[in-house]
Amino acid sequence: MTTASEPLEPVLSARQVLALERVLAGEPEVVAGAAQLDRPVRWVHVAEAADVGVMLTGGEMVLTTGVLLAGDEDKQTEYIRSLYRAEAAAVVLGLGRAFPAPPDVMRRAAERCGLPLVVLHRPFPFAELTEEVQSRLVRRKFAAVSLSEAVRTALTALITAGAPLQSLLDEIAAHSACPVVVTNLAHRVLATAGERPAVDDVLRDWERIARQAGGTEGDGWIRAELGGRGQRWGQIVLCGYRGGTAAGRLLADRAAEALVLHRLLGGGSARSWEEQSAQRLLTDLVSGAVPARQLLPRARAAGLPVNRRTFVPLVVRDVTPAGLDRVLRMLGLAGLVAELADGATAVLLSLARDQDADALTAHFAARLRSESGRTRTVVAAAGPRTGWDEVPAGLHEAQHVADAVADSSAALDLPDVVRLRDVHLRGLIRLLRDDPQVQSFAERELDGLLCGADRDLLNVLRTYLATGRNKSRTAQLHHVSRPALYRRLEAIQARLGVDLDDFEQAASVHIALLAHDAQQG
């Protein structure tokens, strides 16, 4: 694979040409325009004509002895001006034949124009310099074309194979050997690739440096616009690319082409890049695989306000991420939305410290019910968090609350915004379901009913306890007569060795059943 350390720049700068060993043998001296030595040299042209400017197309380094300019200061001045108008990269004057010393008239004119004027103090065969530079330019152009084709081929293969966006960005980062960032038009980060420490350094102060580098490609910041069908929707940025600007531009352009095609073809997912970005961030927060503090730059770069904020983690079921995001926009609330497993969607609200978190959460739930058309859309909420490090625990809490009310017959009696205190014992059991002692307790208490043949009895027990041991209601829900229910309850008590009329024994079985259901869920 071609790397950024190889000479990929299809042009040389005037400074690089002057540093060549063959040129150094001529003892070059820059007598004017030193600040412009980084101009690209597209070609080297040997010319003695006084009107050489009309033969140029821009970017040439002109080599001359000045034999036709000696003794005529007006010609010398016009010569420099014509090269400047033709956008020549530099002019190299060999001393000795026409000028024993750097001519002041040409030096002053070049300084005024900002055109590099270089004199050679020792005789120098111009043909050798021409040959050297032209061969280097050809090799560099070939290397640039090879890189372009290698990148295009690799990215096309990934797209054809249905690879996700991250795979494409990883490939681009491998070619560029620098962090790669994809943003929307508001500079919000949608995806990144590259070595994690380097990416984190870029994201740590993303908004400032992104806007600062927005109009320039200095310091290796190379941008390419993303868009199609007459509409721009983002950009890809190579951050700190160490190769030449032209090579970076080539890489960025090839990357942009691939990303646009990837998005137009669906990107392997129906979700937008913005949703995928939020999902990766919230999934990493929930999983705990990455410490919350390390995820802070990503959250800030994704556009989530994080300084002096109150965070409210929510989990909502049976509402699409797009629907939740639409409600956030309607209310003007800052937040991230991400789809989780089993039809649940996480929402992380970011509120100003002086805002009423409970009131805004209730307002969000009310608007969500109105927009979704569901009169009983339940929003599971954790308590407000004032520190970013507390957000993962808050997301876990909201998930536990959502799990506790899922498929619960008591859900109809819950408020629109459900918190841990509202799910009582069920919520506690959900929090403790992974504890080995709780698992052992559930197995021990329900052992007589856990085989496949006794599932019907287990369902009867679940309904009986959930209805507060109401026999009439239980019989009605299971479509059986009361005598038939009594026989089943007797069988349950015999299998478990308990008396369900005893409050403590019934409570013990109820807790074990809640723990069993939580573990199975």
Side-chain angles (χ1 to χ4, degrees), residues 17-18 20 22-28 43-49 61-68 79 90-99 117-135:
V17 172
L18 296 178
L20 295 177
R22 292 189 181 184
V23 180
L24 292 174
E27 297 182 7
W43 207 245
V44 176
H45 192 68
V46 180
E48 296 295 351
M61 174 178 278
V62 177
L63 310 180
T64 183
T65 63
V67 67
L68 299 181
Y79 182 80
V91 58
V92 177
L93 176 65
L95 300 181
R97 185 173 179 184
F99 295 98
L117 173 61
V118 182
V119 297
L120 299 175
H121 289 277
R122 294 174 62 86
F124 184 88
F126 286 165
E128 290 185 9
L129 174 58
T130 303
E131 179 183 7
E132 174 78 11
V133 173
Q134 313 304 39
S135 63

Side-chain angles (χ1 to χ4, degrees), residues 226-247:
L226 301 176
R229 298 171 182 170
Q231 184 178 15
R232 290 191 308 118
W233 37 262
Q235 64 179 0
I236 181 170
V237 188
L238 306 185
C239 307
Y241 178 69
R242 296 186 180 278
T245 300

